[in-house]
Amino acid sequence: MTEALETLERARGHLYSFHQLVGEADFKLDEALQSLRAADAGELAERIERELVGRDVLPSRWTFQVIEEFDDGYWKVFREHERAVREALTGGRRHVFEAKLKARRQSG
């Protein structure tokens, strides 16, 4: 269960990377629009601006809202269940396998 949670944490990190990259792309779009206007392509820039600047990445959602929904929903529930399994089976201790492995490898 803990290994599954660790994989989910990696996925969550990718979700945050997605959030940051989309934001970075949005700001780079501003620079591209300035360049288009400077190249006498103002009409094209206006159309792109209308259709892309501030656009939702999913219906009614920016990436921060996707993260908040993920965190408050699936991720939170998953963590609660992982904690319940640990408490039931290991007294709440984390990384039991790794701790045993460390003890074996350092005593050897």
Side-chain angles (χ1 to χ4, degrees), residues 16-80:
Y16 273 83
S17 293
F18 172 75
H19 163 65
Q20 292 173 343
L21 289 168
V22 169
E24 186 178 334
D26 192 56
F27 288 122
K28 287 182 178 186
L29 179 60
D30 290 339
E31 296 171 19
L33 293 173
Q34 288 176 356
S35 295
L36 286 170
R37 287 184 177 101
D40 254 354
E43 196 173 298
L44 182 58
E46 292 301 318
R47 188 177 84 217
I48 293 169
E49 185 171 32
R50 274 193 315 275
E51 294 183 16
L52 279 178
V53 173
R55 185 181 181 100
D56 295 337
V57 296
L58 294 172
S60 302
R61 289 176 188 80
W62 275 23
T63 56
F64 77 91
Q65 292 167 306
V66 173
I67 287 173
E68 289 175 356
E69 288 180 31
F70 177 81
D71 281 354
D72 294 344
Y74 189 79
W75 181 70
K76 178 184 173 193
V77 173
F78 201 112
R79 286 176 50 96
E80 290 169 356

